[in-house]
Amino acid sequence: MKGKIFLISAIIIALLVSITVTAQPVPKPPKYQGFNKERITALLKLTGEQQKKFNNFFFTQQNASIDLRADIQKVRLKIRKMMAENNVDGDKLLALTGKINQLQGKLKMLRTKFWLNVYKILNDSQREIWIKHFRHFRKVKHRKNSGHPMRMEGRAGFRKF
């Protein structure tokens, strides 16, 4: 009896070890890396003059975005400090939250202005490509199925962008 139990245990252990050793990790889907300037400029086939203007728009927008994101982080730090010191002032917290919302609104306006500036320098065929791929350019940092319209486009009642 002990021999059978030992034999069955040995077979089960051997199977588990072989499954573990031969198992392949599940490949993770590639993360969206955000706006890829080189890929989009190649896709649009920009002329030299268009490329110059595009780069100017891009780097101007990036510079302003960095400043705004730094300001957002500073305001968030003030909120964390207030929480850590256990000294929560309701009015101050609301004012800081409003400041964050205002800065995030400015970031969105910057992205829209960049998009419009690029749109203006393109010819008709390039504009079609730009509009077609626009939704892929957006940086979406929301959690999966968060109710963001771009994630819910296949569901009833939501339109495609």
Side-chain angles (χ1 to χ4, degrees):
M1 183 75 167
K2 286 185 178 181
K4 286 183 180 181
I5 293 175
F6 178 74
L7 181 62
I8 292 172
S9 300
I11 292 171
I12 291 174
I13 290 172
L15 285 173
L16 289 175
V17 168
S18 67
I19 289 171
T20 305
V21 169
T22 60
Q24 297 294 318
V26 176
K28 293 180 182 177
K31 290 184 179 179
Y32 178 66
Q33 299 297 319
F35 184 82
N36 186 330
K37 184 172 85 70
E38 289 77 22
R39 186 180 74 77
I40 191 60
T41 54
L43 189 64
L44 290 171
K45 298 178 179 123
L46 298 176
T47 65
E49 184 64 30
Q50 286 176 324
Q51 183 72 42
K52 226 183 214 184
K53 289 180 182 179
F54 181 89
N55 285 338
N56 185 32
F57 297 147
F58 178 78
F59 290 117
T60 302
Q61 187 263 346
Q62 288 295 302
N63 190 39
S65 293
I66 289 169
D67 293 340
L68 286 171
R69 284 193 299 271
D71 290 342
I72 290 170
Q73 290 303 317
K74 288 176 186 175
V75 174
R76 286 180 179 161
L77 183 63
K78 287 180 185 178
I79 292 173
R80 284 195 303 268
K81 182 180 178 193
M82 186 173 31
M83 298 292 184
E85 293 173 350
N86 203 13
N87 185 19
V88 179
D89 178 6
D91 292 334
K92 188 174 181 180
L93 180 62
L94 289 173
L96 290 172
T97 304
K99 178 74 172 171
I100 289 173
N101 289 337
Q102 179 187 20
L103 293 168
Q104 287 174 336
K106 287 181 180 180
L107 268 174
K108 290 178 182 181
M109 290 300 289
L110 272 175
R111 286 187 208 117
T112 304
K113 286 178 183 177
F114 169 73
W115 190 90
L116 286 170
N117 286 335
V118 172
Y119 181 81
K120 289 176 186 175
I121 66 168
L122 301 176
N123 64 33
D124 290 338
S125 63
Q126 290 170 328
R127 285 178 178 176
E128 287 179 26
I129 295 168
W130 184 246
I131 291 171
K132 179 182 173 190
H133 291 86
F134 173 64
R135 61 182 247 175
H136 300 293
F137 300 156
R138 297 196 57 210
K139 273 190 183 175
V140 179
K141 295 184 179 181
H142 301 284
R143 288 187 296 264
K144 189 175 183 180
N145 297 326
S146 65
H148 191 275
M150 291 186 66
R151 290 226 163 75
M152 300 186 68
E153 66 187 18
R155 299 181 188 175
F158 290 93
R159 62 184 172 90
K160 279 190 167 184
F161 287 90

